Amino acid sequence: MMLELSFLILFLTSISVLIFICFFRSTSHTPSKTPCPESYPIIGILPGLLRNRHRFHDWVADMLSKTPSSTLQVNNFLNLSHIICTANPVNVEHLLVTNFSNYIKGYRYLDYFQELLGHGIFNVDGHLWTVQRKIASHEFNTKSLKHFVSDIVKSELSKSLMPDLFKACDHNLIIDMQEVLQKFTFTNICKVALGLTQNPCQI
């Protein structure tokens, strides 16, 4: 009985000290000028995220533009993980060029996108990524691919886009050029990447 009572007193004392330290730290130091989203112990940044859900990208861009280093650390739910957001070119170069091999996608990313991406270049790390990148860069630098793409674009221009534009001019039609060019681009991508020849772009 005495042991249980001493354990209870020790537990309550430690909780009281912990609460006092947290309260003292939050009131004693000056608030940071870094506009990181306010993080709470259990729910993390959920309140700020909900307040800014309609302008999420603008919200993050605003915070990044106000930080001296153009970098934010965001604490997630229960502080189980941290997210780093950066717009600093030096940090981006460090991540993507200088020390790329140190920043892996990890097993969670692989699990989430396994069904969609398999073991392709966008879903792997390390040696497998390096091999696939070399193959892809070699393939995209070959003259045959450039000629293939050029031939498809010329064909679509002469068979589809230009005749349709001339027809619109002859009949004084008002057309949405952005939509026409998007269809033209989509048709070319489908022919280059998938070999599809159906649905040529038409006005």
Side-chain angles (χ1 to χ4, degrees):
M1 182 73 175
M2 190 62 110
L3 185 63
E4 291 175 2
L5 184 62
S6 62
F7 178 74
L8 181 64
I9 291 172
L10 180 65
F11 178 74
L12 290 175
T13 305
S14 60
I15 292 293
S16 301
V17 169
L18 185 62
I19 290 172
F20 176 75
I21 290 172
C22 290
F23 177 75
F24 180 74
R25 283 183 60 196
S26 65
T27 57
S28 64
H29 65 79
T30 56
S32 172
K33 293 185 179 179
T34 304
C36 293
E38 193 169 351
S39 181
Y40 299 93
I42 296 176
I43 56 176
I45 63 161
L46 187 61
L49 191 61
L50 291 175
R51 271 195 307 271
N52 293 284
R53 68 185 177 278
H54 63 285
R55 55 178 300 270
F56 174 75
H57 293 100
D58 293 328
W59 177 52
V60 173
D62 289 344
M63 288 187 292
L64 286 170
S65 67
K66 293 175 185 171
T67 59
S69 63
S70 297
T71 303
L72 298 172
Q73 177 179 327
V74 179
N75 298 325
N76 231 348
F77 176 70
L78 290 175
N79 278 342
L80 294 177
S81 63
H82 306 290
I83 299 169
I84 305 293
C85 300
T86 186
N88 188 329
V90 174
N91 293 342
V92 174
E93 183 179 5
H94 175 80
L95 287 166
L96 298 179
V97 179
T98 313
N99 279 324
F100 180 75
S101 59
N102 289 343
Y103 300 97
I104 61 171
K105 296 173 189 80
Y107 68 92
R108 283 195 302 180
Y109 185 92
L110 180 63
D111 289 345
Y112 292 148
F113 294 104
Q114 175 69 35
E115 190 172 331
L116 177 65
L117 301 174
H119 289 286
I121 191 170
F122 297 110
N123 207 33
V124 293
D125 294 309
H127 178 69
L128 193 55
W129 180 88
T130 305
V131 169
Q132 292 189 33
R133 184 182 180 281
K134 284 180 182 176
I135 293 169
S137 64
H138 173 72
E139 199 58 43
F140 281 100
N141 285 328
T142 58
K143 286 185 179 179
S144 60
L145 180 66
K146 292 176 184 175
H147 290 306
F148 176 64
V149 172
S150 177
D151 290 344
I152 286 178
V153 172
K154 285 177 186 175
S155 171
E156 280 301 306
L157 273 171
S158 61
K159 291 180 181 175
S160 182
L161 182 64
M162 295 309 292
D164 288 341
L165 290 177
F166 287 139
K167 183 176 78 175
C169 286
D170 291 342
H171 294 88
N172 290 328
L173 298 175
I174 297 173
I175 59 172
D176 183 353
M177 281 302 292
Q178 183 173 358
E179 184 179 340
V180 170
L181 293 175
Q182 283 177 344
K183 287 180 181 177
F184 174 72
T185 304
F186 180 72
T187 303
N188 282 302
I189 290 172
C190 286
K191 284 191 172 184
V192 170
L194 306 172
L196 300 177
T197 55
Q198 300 296 321
N199 299 325
C201 63
Q202 293 178 346
I203 296 175

